[in-house]
């Protein structure tokens, strides 16, 4: 079976036929990886995406609502995920987005760069068989950007707003007053 033919099989079909080494490879990919059916139910999730073996086994065949409850993620975080999943099914193309996951019990917010990739049943790229999700934790990058933005407009020693912040606010006031006239 050539490589061209192989790419048309679904991940679920392949993972069942892989050797233990191949399953371990997907389970331990250095990026978050999950496979969903067309209803948004998990078919597979690797250990980078769901580190807890119990939760990972529990979500197979279930949707993100179950996963978010088990992981302690706020329900408000799920809306964008559902919207992006619906988009990948409708537009039949890769959808990339930034996701904000709120963990109220831990008083923690994490940011992820995600992408949903449709996998097609046939060569005509018309019928989707499943959706693959890839993700990377971007929390450190987002927090660094927030800190840089803060430092750009505040004095490092006192924490008070600096001259640049004053000029930016002044420009905004002038712009708004010009709009009203």
């Amino acid at each position: 079976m050539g490589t061209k033919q192989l790419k048309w099989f679904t991940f679920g079909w392949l993972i069942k036929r892989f050797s233990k080494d191949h399953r371990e490879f997907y389970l331990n990919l250095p990026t978050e990886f999950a496979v969903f059916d067309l209803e948004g139910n998990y078919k597979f999730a690797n250990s980078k995406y769901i580190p807890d073996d119990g939760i990972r086994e529990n979500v197979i065949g279930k949707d993100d609502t179950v996963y978010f409850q088990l992981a302690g993620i706020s329900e408000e975080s799920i809306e964008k995920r559902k919207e992006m999943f619906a988009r990948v099914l409708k537009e039949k193309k890769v959808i990339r987005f930034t996701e904000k996951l709120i963990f109220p019990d831990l008083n923690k917010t994490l940011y992820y760069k995600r992408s949903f990739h449709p996998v097609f049943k046939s060569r005509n790229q018309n019928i989707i068989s499943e959706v693959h999700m890839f993700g990377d934790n971007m929390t450190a990058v987002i927090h660094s950007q927030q800190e840089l933005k803060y430092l750009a407009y505040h004095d490092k020693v006192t924490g008070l707003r600096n001259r640049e912040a004053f000029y930016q606010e002044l420009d905004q006031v002038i712009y708004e007053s010009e709009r009203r006239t």
Side-chain angles (χ1 to χ4, degrees):
M1 180 176 310
T3 312
K4 284 188 173 193
Q5 288 176 314
L6 190 62
K7 73 179 182 179
W8 303 111
F9 291 111
T10 66
F11 184 81
W13 183 89
L14 287 173
I15 200 77
K16 288 175 190 168
R17 286 153 184 82
F18 280 160
S19 69
K20 184 179 180 196
D21 291 339
H22 285 103
R23 279 192 295 276
E24 287 298 314
F25 170 78
Y26 281 102
L27 201 57
N28 296 308
L29 277 173
T31 190
E32 295 185 356
F33 177 65
V35 179
F36 297 90
D37 65 19
L38 300 182
E39 286 77 44
N41 296 317
Y42 286 90
K43 293 171 78 173
F44 175 82
N46 74 352
S47 58
K48 180 87 172 179
Y49 177 57
I50 304 177
D52 184 295
D53 292 339
I55 292 176
R56 193 170 54 253
E57 289 172 16
N58 238 334
V59 299
I60 301 302
K62 299 176 182 109
D63 68 6
D64 276 325
T65 307
V66 173
Y67 169 57
F68 279 39
Q69 288 172 348
L70 291 171
I73 303 169
S74 164
E75 286 185 28
E76 69 184 77
S77 301
I78 202 169
E79 294 309 315
K80 185 168 189 174
R81 170 91 60 104
K82 286 181 176 180
E83 178 186 327
M84 295 300 116
F85 191 83
R87 271 188 64 197
V88 77
L89 295 177
K90 180 181 178 192
E91 297 176 21
K92 298 180 180 182
K93 66 178 186 177
V94 174
I95 302 294
R96 292 179 175 82
F97 60 101
T98 301
E99 183 173 57
K100 179 180 177 180
L101 298 179
I102 302 166
F103 295 80
D105 295 343
L106 303 174
N107 197 23
K108 182 166 67 169
T109 301
L110 300 177
Y111 299 88
Y112 289 86
K113 202 60 158 169
R114 300 267 191 229
S115 60
F116 280 132
H117 297 254
V119 176
F120 297 94
K121 278 185 183 178
S122 59
R123 294 174 193 255
N124 67 9
Q125 303 287 308
N126 204 19
I127 302 169
I128 298 174
S129 62
E130 62 191 20
V131 176
H132 293 184
M133 182 187 74
F134 296 89
D136 286 304
N137 189 332
M138 301 297 291
T139 305
V141 172
I142 299 292
H143 287 178
S144 296
Q145 290 173 342
Q146 290 169 340
E147 184 178 356
L148 284 173
K149 187 175 180 180
Y150 177 84
L151 290 173
Y153 298 106
H154 292 80
D155 181 78
K156 203 175 194 179
V157 176
T158 65
L160 297 173
R161 293 178 62 84
N162 64 17
R163 187 177 303 167
E164 188 59 38
F166 168 76
Y167 288 138
Q168 188 178 30
E169 283 187 37
L170 181 62
D171 288 344
Q172 186 64 32
V173 169
I174 291 169
Y175 172 77
E176 287 177 11
S177 68
E178 288 174 348
R179 265 186 45 199
R180 285 188 227 134
T181 59

